[in-house]
Amino acid sequence: MTTLSNSAISDRPFVEANSSGGEVADYFALLKPRVMALVIFTALVGMTVTPSHVNPVIGAISLLMIAVGAGASGCLNMWWDADIDAVMTRTRTRPIPAGRIQPGEALSFGLTLSVGSVLVLGLAANWLSAGLLAFTIVFYAVVYSMWLKRSTAQNIVIGGAAGALPPMIGQAVVTGSIGIEGTVLFLIIFIWTPPHFWALALVKAGEYARAGIPMMPNTAGPDSTRRQILAYSVLLAPLGLAPVFLGFGGLIYGVVGLVGGLAMVALSVQVLRRREGEAANKAAMSLFGFSILYLFLLFSALLAEQGLGLFRPVFG
């Protein structure tokens, strides 16, 4: 496996004297808008499943700040990973490697948004939610991006904690505490993350190798990765039904969780069985695509039940 040279990393520019003249769209792209959308959605569900209620204005400001904090961590990730992004097909057109935004500008932008989002969230809601947001930003930008991603094949497993925290932050906004609902939603996203990203990594293993990223298929091998994808999917299926047994997931959620969980396992079995050529890539991408739909439907069911009054208990 090829690795990035030490000089490439040590020469990373922290400040650029010349402005890039990047457009608004380029700065918005630095925030990883698709990830921001997922963060807003899962944080909203975390707020909705909480028995208590929050002032709508405070709730809206809090969601905005959670989104800005998520965008800030994505911006800092792009600043740090610009050397990696430049050698990978799917990321080489991002604003920094494409030269539309200078690294120093991205760093300043990300730090400003990070501090601002945490402070405003603390003042608008409470300091527990702000502290969780600050932890999420630091964990993703520093622990994951600067350390785990380049040093261990468990980068996605451990780093997945950052992406799983928004429901807990959302619940903390409403209650000022962390309850069982937010914790369970955190665990669902945390266990969902490895099979989701490793499915893509099976297809993009060559690009990760050229970039020097120790993804699971390049370190443990594709067959071991496939077995671990199946193991995580088998664990995810019953975990996805936990809200039903804990009383905050109803009949709609139960059906979605049961069918979706079984589908995740079935697609993971196909990934394990199809190991060669185009069939293997197709199976992996099918799992990758469905995993996004699975998580969206799972959280949508909770939102519909709790937010639209469609909750019907499965038991009792």
Side-chain angles (χ1 to χ4, degrees):
M1 182 179 68
T2 60
T3 58
L4 297 170
S5 67
N6 291 332
S7 61
I9 297 175
S10 62
D11 291 342
R12 183 188 314 276
F14 282 73
V15 178
E16 290 286 339
N18 298 323
S19 172
S20 63
E23 298 181 356
V24 173
D26 295 321
Y27 282 95
F28 186 63
L30 286 176
L31 305 181
K32 296 189 175 181
R34 287 184 294 181
V35 176
M36 284 178 64
L38 179 61
V39 166
I40 294 172
F41 181 53
T42 56
L44 176 61
V45 173
M47 296 170 68
T48 304
V49 300
T50 301
S52 304
H53 299 282
V54 66
N55 180 286
V57 175
I58 294 177
I61 293 173
S62 298
L63 279 177
L64 177 60
M65 290 305 101
I66 293 170
V68 172
S73 62
C75 178
L76 294 174
N77 168 264
M78 283 199 190
W79 161 72
W80 183 259
D81 280 350
D83 53 341
I84 293 173
D85 290 346
V87 299
M88 296 189 68
T89 303
R90 69 185 184 90
T91 58
R92 64 179 54 167
T93 59
R94 286 176 171 176
I96 300 175
R100 299 192 301 274
I101 300 289
Q102 295 298 330
E105 295 172 328
L107 175 60
S108 299
F109 187 49
L111 290 176
T112 300
L113 293 181
S114 297
V115 174
S117 62
V118 171
L119 288 178
V120 173
L121 182 60
L123 293 170
N126 55 68
W127 292 106
L128 175 61
S129 59
L132 288 172
L133 180 61
F135 175 81
T136 302
I137 295 170
V138 172
F139 192 88
Y140 185 73
V142 178
V143 178
Y144 169 71
S145 299
M146 297 184 182
W147 175 38
L148 293 173
K149 185 172 183 178
R150 299 172 188 250
S151 63
T152 173
Q154 294 296 318
N155 48 23
I156 288 300
V157 178
I158 304 171
L165 279 168
M168 295 178 72
I169 301 174
Q171 185 171 48
V173 165
V174 178
T175 66
S177 63
I178 300 172
I180 187 65
E181 298 89 354
T183 302
V184 169
L185 296 183
F186 166 87
L187 290 173
I188 289 173
I189 300 174
F190 183 77
I191 298 300
W192 167 87
T193 300
H196 168 70
F197 278 103
W198 284 340
L200 180 64
L202 284 170
V203 178
K204 301 293 184 180
E207 290 194 29
Y208 282 116
R210 287 193 296 273
I213 303 301
M215 293 297 286
M216 189 63 69
N218 298 325
T219 58
D223 289 345
S224 176
T225 303
R226 291 184 173 94
R227 290 191 294 270
Q228 293 187 61
I229 285 174
L230 178 58
Y232 273 96
S233 295
V234 169
L235 180 60
L236 177 63
L239 179 60
L241 292 172
V244 174
F245 295 97
L246 292 171
F248 67 94
L251 182 60
I252 297 173
Y253 179 89
V255 172
V256 172
L258 178 61
V259 175
L262 291 175
M264 283 288 295
V265 173
L267 289 170
S268 298
V269 170
Q270 292 301 310
V271 170
L272 182 65
R273 293 177 57 188
R274 298 175 181 175
R275 306 186 179 196
E276 300 292 338
E278 186 59 31
N281 289 341
K282 184 177 179 180
M285 290 307 296
S286 294
L287 175 59
F288 175 76
F290 179 78
S291 66
I292 299 173
L293 178 64
Y294 166 75
L295 193 68
F296 173 75
L297 291 177
L298 210 60
F299 277 71
S300 293
L302 280 178
L303 190 61
E305 288 183 336
Q306 300 291 342
L308 301 178
L310 301 179
F311 180 85
R312 298 293 182 273
V314 176
F315 306 105

